[in-house]
Amino acid sequence: MQFGARAYPGLVGSANVAKGKVTGFDPTGEKAKSAQRIGLHMSYQLLDEMEEWEDDMDQLCLSLPIVGCMFKKTYYSPAKSRNISELVYPQKLVVNY
C-alpha cells in the first residue's frame, strides 16, 4: 500500500504525463516545439480519452510490489475508435520471439 501511495503521484502527478525528448541537433527549436505538442496530445489521450488508463495505473502501483513486474498494453481499438490501455499480469504475457 505504501509503495502505491508513493509511486502513483510520481507517475500521474500532473497533467503532463507524457513528455517528448529531442534527439539530435535542434538549432531553431522546431524539434523541441514538436516534442512539446506531441507530449501534450499524448497526455490528453491518456488522461481524458482513455478512461481505463488512470484506474489501471492505480491497480498497477498496488500490484507491482506483490507480483514483481507488471505490463501495460496500449493499442488502437477499431471497435471503440480510440486508443485503449490494458493491464497485463506477467502470467498472461506472451512474447513472440
Side-chain angles (χ1 to χ4, degrees), residues 63-64 66-71 87-95:
S63 302
L64 183 62
I66 299 166
V67 178
C69 67
M70 301 288 289
F71 301 93
L87 186 61
V88 180
Y89 285 86
Q91 64 265 26
K92 302 238 182 213
L93 180 71
V94 177
V95 178

Side-chain angles (χ1 to χ4, degrees), residues 49-88:
E49 288 183 353
M50 299 166 57
E51 305 100 24
E52 69 278 350
W53 186 82
E54 200 165 350
D55 293 334
D56 281 351
M57 284 302 289
D58 187 35
Q59 186 178 355
L60 181 141
C61 288
L62 291 174
S63 302
L64 183 62
I66 299 166
V67 178
C69 67
M70 301 288 289
F71 301 93
K72 295 277 287 179
K73 179 180 179 181
T74 304
Y75 60 95
Y76 179 78
S77 171
K80 294 186 178 183
S81 299
R82 65 178 178 87
N83 293 330
I84 63 172
S85 181
E86 298 175 351
L87 186 61
V88 180

Side-chain angles (χ1 to χ4, degrees), residues 3-17:
F3 174 80
R6 290 182 180 186
Y8 185 78
L11 295 170
V12 190
S14 68
N16 261 351
V17 176

